Amino acid sequence: MSSIRLTVGQAVVRFLAAQYSERDGRRHRLIEGCFGIFGHGNVAGVGQALLEAELSPEPGLRYWQGRNEQAMVHAAAAFARTRNRMSTLACTSSIGPGATNMVTGAALATINRLPVLLLPGDVFATRVADPVLQQLEHPAAQDVSVNDAFRPVSRFFDRIWRPEQLPSALLAAMRVLTDPAETGAVTLALPQDVQAEAYNWPAELFRGRVWHVPRTPPDPAAVARAADVIRSARRPLIVAGGGVIYSEATAALRAFADACGIPVAQTQAGKGTMRSGDPLCAGAIGATGTTAANELAAQADVVIGVGTRWSDFTTASRTVFADPRVRFVNVNVAAFDAAKQAGVAVVGDARAALEALAGALAGWSAEPAHRARAADLAARWQATVEAAYTTRHQPRPAQAEVIGVVNEVSGERDVVLCAAGSMPGDLHKLWRTRDPGGYHVEYGYSCMGYEIAGGLGAKLAAPDREVFVMVGDGSYLMMATELVTAVQEGVKLVVVCVDNHGFASIGNLSESVGSQRFGTSYRFRGRDGRLDGDYLPVDLAANAASLGVDVQRARTIEEFRQALVAARDADRTTLVHIETDPLVGAPPSEAWWDVPVAEVAELESTRDARAAYEKAKERQSPYL
Ligand SMILES: Cc1ncc(C[n+]2csc(CCOP(=O)(O)OP(=O)(O)O)c2C)c(N)n1
Ligand SMILES: [Mg+2]
């Protein structure tokens, strides 16, 4: 067998450039490129290999420079989400802080079931030079490094102590990245000396390889069991999650819902599954749900979850399904999720399973009155949205109006992207969806700082779409640095910075648990020694301008509309800054979220909140 002599770094880069994914006969590059920040842990290994790839006439792995390793992983995760997990990016870091900066991104990717490939540098395998700069020494375990922190947040982890270990690790890594049930962060820790070490690799390792992403059909017996339960339903409800989008099953979902006359409620990741305005679309469910979906949920006797992991936001901490006899059917590619809520588990690909269920239920549909009632509830919520979009609150606009303008100014296939703060909940309730990929709110980890980095990844994955990043002032201050990368790469984003001088979301939450908005607004320390002075004079628009992007400042909602149109039509990344009133929330839907309140307290506000909490807990059905 012929062999090729390369370093471990060169072998990794050459291997990754030759991997493909395939589903429904369509082939994609599996790893489209590599973000990297170099240090002594990767500069001579993966870094040198990326340079050779860039200089080679062969199409190799493309390199992008990041500002922060966490942001690189966010960009990779957003890229994978935008591509429905068929393609992703790799991220290379140095050892120590560069590596651990990626741990948060790894957790985000794994929780959202998004494939990302992480290549942190690691300490010397030979240990001759120990302790190397940035090495954590563990007195009782010399094979432990900071990279062991990746283990609990990765779906696959390996450390390549010797070159011989690399081929099997690479193959296993690709398998996990392309397995729809197992995917998440995949981490190959690469000791810095091993990265630069040469080895004779079998040429076979570098041939083009296709990883087939299956549409695993469900077990017919499980489909029959599920169909029996659904046929018994009088008030059924579908809850569509992100799995429907990743499986590209939105048409199958619509056909199934229509044939059976079952309304569809949506989780955050599943919000794009149906067009708002479709009479069968009840919209957001749960703690940030619509009155329509939550009322249907309260009365549902059978709930069909499709591609959802039943987070507490979806179930409103197990209060939204109020019928004590409610039964669940769970369609999920992951057996782990299919078994939740003591449901009838239908394990398989969402599209394949929905088609099988539609076949098994052919000729059956829920009572027409149920469908009509759902349509009526949905229409009423749409009127609520219209009112929220047009309140014209003074002197500073409400956040819902800002969302309304972004919705109107953005086009059919454009993308709205957000992650943390009060906007995800408001967007979940109020955003009018058009296209399955048009709604990108990262709410599995709800990670402040994902927004701009994620926007970069989404735009790299879909250059033909306008990406509208919605970022709060808190999230902006946590990590806006990838604006620089967007400028560097000529990647155009529209960034809407909603400034309410602190954490509106946690301020409201704090008030609801009796903690008086403590520590949630950006104010000077006052004479009383507390953070209750004037607002901090932070100028985020000026900050963005200093990073090289164009900036528009808007004061009124009309100015905002004009600025946003200009930003949309511009060919450079533009940040539109607007101040909103943190005290005006989105329209309510009477949903609850379980956030524990201090059981004993000096403060009357806390004692009152505890009493309300104990009352609310009575509605919770624990465990099931
Ligand atoms: C990395 C991280 N740290 C802390 C939190 C908890 N948290 C959720 S929202 C939020 C405040 C967000 O502030 P901002 O971006 O200004 O949005 P706003 O709440 O004002 O809408 C915080 C601290 C988080 N989600 N992510
Ligand atoms: Mg804020």
Side-chain angles (χ1 to χ4, degrees):
M1 204 199 298
S2 68
S3 68
I4 304 177
R5 190 161 173 82
L6 297 171
T7 68
V8 164
Q10 291 157 0
V12 168
V13 166
R14 184 172 310 193
F15 173 89
L16 294 180
Q19 306 305 305
Y20 298 85
S21 66
E22 178 276 333
R23 185 172 64 184
D24 302 331
R26 282 199 302 276
R27 232 183 193 226
H28 314 264
R29 272 287 286 274
L30 178 56
I31 312 288
E32 278 219 0
C34 183
F35 266 102
I37 293 179
F38 299 121
H40 63 282
N42 61 342
V43 69
V46 175
Q48 191 277 346
L50 286 166
L51 166 65
E52 285 198 355
E54 185 168 296
L55 298 176
S56 157
E58 309 267 310
L61 203 62
R62 173 161 182 191
Y63 166 68
W64 287 290
Q65 187 181 56
R67 309 302 126 186
N68 174 317
E69 293 86 354
Q70 183 188 137
M72 306 191 310
V73 188
H74 291 339
F79 186 98
R81 177 167 170 168
T82 305
R83 294 287 184 87
N84 288 335
R85 312 196 291 201
M86 299 304 292
S87 298
T88 186
L89 305 175
C91 298
T92 170
S93 79
S94 188
I95 75 161
T100 52
N101 267 356
M102 297 204 292
V103 172
T104 296
L108 181 145
T110 293
I111 286 170
N112 285 287
R113 307 272 166 84
L114 292 170
V116 296
L117 178 63
L118 309 182
L119 306 170
D122 213 320
V123 298
F124 277 92
T126 57
R127 301 187 187 156
V128 176
D130 278 8
V132 64
L133 173 69
Q134 301 167 324
Q135 176 168 346
L136 172 87
E137 291 179 278
H138 194 305
Q142 297 206 53
D143 61 346
V144 165
S145 81
V146 293
N147 285 343
D148 286 275
F150 282 100
R151 289 179 189 271
V153 293
S154 299
R155 297 308 302 267
F156 180 84
F157 175 92
D158 204 352
R159 185 182 279 120
I160 312 301
W161 291 118
R162 296 180 57 83
E164 292 91 325
Q165 296 169 336
L166 185 67
S168 74
L170 285 172
L171 294 171
M174 298 304 110
R175 178 187 65 75
V176 174
L177 285 173
T178 52
D179 182 320
E182 284 189 44
T183 197
V186 165
T187 304
L188 296 180
L190 301 171
Q192 61 181 76
D193 49 349
V194 179
Q195 278 184 54
E197 202 174 322
Y199 185 75
N200 293 330
W201 310 95
E204 159 72 9
L205 182 63
F206 306 110
R207 73 164 165 83
R209 255 192 197 79
V210 182
W211 298 85
H212 301 282
V213 178
R215 292 206 174 272
T216 307
D219 173 18
V223 172
R225 280 192 295 273
D228 277 350
V229 172
I230 296 168
R231 243 185 249 110
S232 74
R234 297 182 55 94
R235 294 172 306 278
L237 178 68
I238 295 169
V239 176
V244 175
I245 293 179
Y246 301 142
S247 156
E248 295 170 1
T250 52
L253 174 75
R254 178 72 184 57
F256 173 73
D258 188 41
C260 296
I262 308 178
V264 179
Q266 299 158 316
T267 71
Q268 274 282 8
K271 166 99 172 159
T273 50
M274 245 190 201
R275 273 187 94 91
S276 308
D278 186 320
L280 280 168
C281 181
I285 188 170
T288 53
T290 68
T291 48
N294 284 355
E295 206 168 313
L296 291 167
Q299 292 156 7
D301 53 356
V302 171
V303 179
I304 307 156
V306 189
T308 170
R309 64 190 191 102
W310 295 117
S311 82
D312 68 342
F313 260 79
T314 298
T315 66
S317 304
R318 296 190 198 275
T319 59
V320 82
F321 303 108
D323 184 335
R325 285 156 310 170
V326 61
R327 282 182 298 168
F328 289 81
V329 168
N330 290 318
V331 173
N332 208 296
V333 74
F336 175 75
D337 288 314
K340 287 178 177 174
Q341 309 287 105
V344 175
V346 180
V347 179
D349 168 65
R351 189 199 284 181
L354 283 166
E355 285 168 0
L357 275 174
L361 287 162
W364 177 87
S365 85
E367 283 165 28
H370 180 58
R371 184 180 186 140
R373 186 172 136 64
D376 181 50
L377 287 170
R380 266 193 267 166
W381 179 258
Q382 283 307 320
T384 305
V385 171
E386 187 58 33
Y389 276 10
T390 52
T391 42
R392 298 296 169 263
H393 190 266
Q394 296 290 340
R396 279 178 288 167
Q399 185 163 283
E401 297 174 75
V402 171
I403 290 172
V405 171
V406 178
N407 193 271
E408 283 157 25
V409 169
S410 56
E412 272 289 306
R413 289 190 73 251
D414 293 346
V415 180
V416 68
L417 190 144
C418 190
S422 56
M423 275 191 288
D426 290 7
L427 286 163
H428 194 210
K429 282 183 176 177
L430 301 175
W431 185 260
R432 289 176 174 156
T433 49
R434 301 168 280 230
D435 178 274
Y439 185 84
H440 184 141
V441 175
E442 186 285 294
Y443 215 63
Y445 212 40
S446 187
C447 186
M448 291 170 75
Y450 175 85
E451 295 86 351
I452 290 169
L456 174 71
K459 184 74 179 175
L460 285 172
D464 57 327
R465 295 177 157 201
E466 230 35 274
V467 176
F468 290 79
V469 172
M470 309 282 287
V471 60
D473 52 324
S475 276
Y476 182 96
L477 282 172
M478 203 162 282
M479 199 161 52
T481 43
E482 276 356 88
L483 286 175
V484 177
T485 312
V487 170
Q488 178 175 41
E489 295 290 343
V491 169
K492 188 238 164 153
L493 301 174
V494 178
V495 181
V496 176
C497 181
V498 175
D499 193 342
N500 50 29
H501 303 282
F503 305 161
S505 52
I506 309 299
N508 294 335
L509 182 62
S510 168
E511 202 159 290
S512 77
V513 298
S515 298
Q516 306 177 4
R517 307 187 88 87
F518 177 65
T520 61
S521 78
Y522 289 156
R523 291 174 184 277
F524 280 106
R525 198 165 287 286
R527 281 207 198 86
D528 57 0
R530 307 196 56 214
L531 293 178
D532 57 4
D534 287 340
Y535 282 134
L536 297 178
V538 183
D539 186 341
L540 298 181
N543 179 277
S546 79
L547 300 179
V549 307
D550 289 350
V551 166
Q552 301 255 357
R553 295 174 191 262
R555 273 176 305 114
T556 65
I557 202 73
E558 272 322 310
E559 281 178 21
F560 177 67
R561 185 186 307 275
Q562 282 166 23
L564 197 67
V565 167
R568 181 197 61 194
D569 297 342
D571 55 9
R572 300 191 70 241
T573 290
T574 307
L575 179 137
V576 183
H577 181 267
I578 180 143
E579 283 188 39
T580 56
D581 189 327
L583 298 179
V584 196
S589 60
E590 304 304 330
W592 183 68
W593 184 36
D594 191 343
V595 178
V597 182
E599 201 168 352
V600 293
E602 301 262 316
L603 292 170
E604 201 180 322
S605 60
T606 311
R607 289 201 300 268
D608 290 349
R610 177 70 197 189
Y613 177 69
E614 282 173 12
K615 187 114 199 62
K617 285 283 276 185
E618 291 169 9
R619 285 173 43 217
Q620 195 171 34
S621 46
Y623 314 121
L624 291 180

